[in-house]
Amino acid sequence: MLKKKIENIYRLGVKELWSLWRDPAMLFLIIFTFTISVYTASTSVPETLNNAPIAIVDEDHSALSQRIISAFYPPGFTPPQMIDISQMDAGMDDGQYTFALNIPANFQEDVLAQKVPTIQLNVDATRMSQAFSGSGYIQQMIQLEVNEFVARNRTVTSLPVELELRARFNPSLEKKWFGALNQIINNVTMISIILTGAALIREREHGTVEHLLVMPVTVFEIMMAKIWSMGLVVLLASSSSLYFVVMGFMHIPILGSIPLFFCGVALSLFAMTSMGIFLATIAKSMPQFGLLLILTLIPLQMLSGGMTPRESMPEFVQNIMFFAPTTQFVELGQAILFRGAGLEVVWKPFICQFFIGLALFLFSLKRFKETIHTMA
């Protein structure tokens, strides 16, 4: 009896794989998500300023103002455009500059007289990635140039305590290391839900649910077939992305055990595919499933700790999201891939992930049994 059940689950799973193979849209989504999406997510936002357009109004025409102007050069900034005060507002309104710096008259004289002169910096805040990082960067640059001009040389004040900065796990502080690995973790969640949910809705749209109901198979076998087949696809896609895109093409080192990480991926897939089936039993069509997916994925990914630390969230949200499978998956994934943690460190999220997945599976199975006859 057990052998027959396993054979049914295997053959139904093979049927799901053939159905997926004949769906070019889904195949394209899988390939895009684990290749181009991983690369663009890790490199789209620059770590530093890159060719930020800046205009300067120099009303002082002094040695100090020229020193400040010369501090802005590529690749951080475009060559500064020297404009009149009357052109500054119009240029900002037209979007020609992200930054417009106004150096007032008598600026050098006031600095040498130990007064407190002010420089006006106008920022186009609609260009968020450049505006927020650039405004602080420009303030530091101007302060450094003014201090060097006053001191006439580069002097470093010796403090009684010296701070030695050591960045662990990412010594060069490269953003793409975090972005690429975190994107794979997020994509595993997204694609596993989409594939299983779409597989069930495809059965309904093609009218093959009736065929399954008259076959000597149980609801448990149908559900397990969809889980193992779609989970296998995501497991192969994510492993290929990690080896060929992240480690091969982008040359990002992995500190931890990759087999241990994919054990965590398998547990996460068990939970996520079950969730995908549950959503598919609620939705009546693919558009409805897409809307449900948006309402589900955004909270799961934003509140799981992958984008912002869970400690910075309200305690109420932390307590609720503890029971989300994505929270445990992000915790074990980041610990293994980023910090090289072993099983002695991540055994708790592994256990939590297993029980969360088991609860989602049983809940989805109950819902599937209740609705499968109405789906036909």
Side-chain angles (χ1 to χ4, degrees):
M1 187 67 176
L2 179 60
K3 180 180 179 182
K4 184 62 176 178
K5 282 184 174 293
I6 294 176
E7 184 178 351
N8 289 341
I9 293 173
Y10 169 74
R11 293 187 182 279
L12 288 172
V14 172
K15 177 189 73 68
E16 296 294 339
L17 294 176
W18 278 111
S19 298
L20 178 62
W21 180 254
R22 299 188 190 98
D23 192 339
M26 282 296 177
L27 291 176
F28 175 78
L29 177 64
I30 296 170
I31 295 172
F32 174 84
T33 301
F34 286 102
T35 54
I36 298 176
S37 176
V38 172
Y39 177 78
T40 55
S42 62
T43 59
S44 57
V45 180
E47 301 169 23
T48 57
L49 289 176
N50 184 37
N51 289 327
I54 185 171
I56 299 179
V57 179
D58 185 6
E59 297 180 309
D60 192 33
H61 301 287
S62 63
L64 178 55
S65 66
Q66 291 300 314
R67 185 184 186 112
I68 293 174
I69 294 170
S70 64
F72 299 96
Y73 51 83
F77 298 87
T78 59
Q81 298 186 39
M82 306 306 300
I83 60 175
D84 296 327
I85 188 67
S86 60
Q87 299 174 287
M88 185 172 63
D89 289 341
M92 293 288 291
D93 292 341
D94 292 340
Q96 299 179 27
Y97 328 117
T98 301
F99 306 100
L101 186 66
N102 183 10
I103 304 176
N106 303 321
F107 177 70
Q108 176 178 310
E109 181 180 340
D110 291 342
V111 168
L112 295 177
Q114 296 185 351
K115 296 180 180 180
V116 186
T118 58
I119 294 181
Q120 184 185 64
L121 176 64
N122 297 277
V123 182
D124 182 357
T126 60
R127 302 175 178 179
M128 292 186 296
S129 62
Q130 290 186 339
F132 292 124
S133 59
S135 57
Y137 187 43
I138 291 174
Q139 292 180 53
Q140 294 178 6
M141 292 173 60
I142 294 175
Q143 188 64 48
L144 178 62
E145 296 299 331
V146 171
N147 291 340
E148 290 180 358
F149 178 80
V150 172
R152 297 298 180 182
N153 54 31
R154 294 182 179 270
T155 58
V156 179
T157 303
S158 297
L159 299 177
V161 177
E162 183 177 359
L163 177 65
E164 289 288 344
L165 176 64
R166 291 183 173 88
R168 295 191 64 186
F169 314 121
N170 188 355
S172 56
L173 299 178
E174 293 190 27
K175 174 186 172 296
K176 69 176 184 178
W177 287 21
F178 175 82
L181 297 175
N182 198 59
Q183 186 67 13
I184 289 181
I185 293 173
N186 289 335
N187 288 346
V188 166
T189 300
M190 179 181 68
I191 294 298
S192 57
I193 296 177
I194 290 176
L195 288 184
T196 48
L200 183 55
I201 293 178
R202 188 166 51 235
E203 297 273 14
R204 176 191 298 155
E205 293 178 343
H206 293 174
T208 54
V209 176
E210 295 92 334
H211 300 166
L212 293 176
L213 292 177
V214 299
M215 293 176 62
V217 294
T218 63
V219 176
F220 172 81
E221 293 168 0
I222 296 173
M223 185 170 170
M224 281 301 301
K226 296 184 184 300
I227 288 176
W228 84 256
S229 58
M230 298 300 103
L232 178 63
V233 171
V234 178
L235 193 64
L236 292 176
S238 58
S239 60
S240 299
S241 178
L242 188 64
Y243 280 107
F244 298 112
V245 178
V246 175
M247 299 174 63
F249 180 72
M250 302 180 67
H251 305 291
I252 296 177
I254 303 298
L255 298 178
S257 170
I258 295 179
L260 181 62
F261 169 69
F262 281 109
C263 289
V265 172
L267 283 176
S268 176
L269 289 173
F270 178 57
M272 293 303 170
T273 50
S274 299
M275 185 181 296
I277 290 177
F278 173 75
L279 294 178
T281 60
I282 298 176
K284 304 300 181 183
S285 63
M286 206 59 158
Q288 288 186 10
F289 178 71
L291 293 175
L292 284 175
L293 193 66
I294 294 173
L295 295 175
T296 304
L297 274 180
I298 292 178
L300 284 177
Q301 294 189 346
M302 292 187 64
L303 303 178
S304 63
M307 296 183 179
T308 56
R310 294 185 64 239
E311 292 75 14
S312 64
M313 302 176 191
E315 186 176 355
F316 175 72
V317 176
Q318 294 184 42
N319 294 335
I320 292 178
M321 291 305 297
F322 177 82
F323 298 99
T326 51
T327 301
Q328 308 300 330
F329 182 42
V330 167
E331 181 178 349
L332 67 88
Q334 291 184 352
I336 295 171
L337 295 180
F338 296 162
R339 300 187 289 273
L343 186 59
E344 69 280 0
V345 176
V346 296
W347 65 271
K348 289 183 179 179
F350 266 83
I351 293 178
C352 292
Q353 185 81 307
F354 171 76
F355 284 107
I356 291 173
L358 182 61
L360 285 172
F361 175 81
L362 295 175
F363 185 72
S364 300
L365 180 62
K366 181 177 181 297
R367 171 71 184 178
F368 193 23
K369 287 180 179 179
E370 294 173 351
T371 59
I372 188 169
H373 292 284
T374 61
M375 296 171 60

